[in-house]
Amino acid sequence: MLAVDRTGQHIAKYHLQRLLASDRFADVYLCKTDHSKQQYVFKLFHIYLSLGEQHTFREQAKALIHLS
């Protein structure tokens, strides 16, 4: 799936600044809030996943839980 560049959009209080990476499961953005200089990374998952992709998604989600 091709990335839809959502740079400039807001999700809740977060402003999407730059698309960092994209693959068939998700797009990764550099973000910040309007009230903080701290930067964040958002991984926005694509909605439609095949059964095989759902398994890989679960494995990625488990790995992300352990990041600090």
Side-chain angles (χ1 to χ4, degrees):
M1 176 177 279
L2 294 175
V4 174
D5 190 354
R6 300 182 191 284
T7 298
Q9 295 182 10
H10 283 81
I11 296 179
K13 64 181 182 177
Y14 300 95
H15 176 76
L16 304 180
Q17 293 185 297
R18 182 167 39 117
L19 180 64
L20 299 174
S22 182
D23 63 20
R24 68 179 201 237
F25 298 109
D27 301 325
V28 179
Y29 287 89
L30 180 66
C31 305
K32 70 173 192 156
T33 66
D34 293 332
H35 306 291
S36 171
K37 293 188 187 290
Q38 185 168 354
Q39 294 183 319
Y40 304 88
V41 175
F42 268 28
K43 188 168 190 176
L44 303 176
F45 292 96
H46 303 302
I47 295 172
Y48 303 104
L49 299 175
S50 69
L51 290 176
E53 291 171 330
Q54 289 176 25
H55 173 73
T56 303
F57 170 83
R58 282 190 210 88
E59 295 304 312
Q60 284 187 359
K62 288 176 187 176
L64 288 172
I65 289 170
H66 300 291
L67 293 178
S68 58

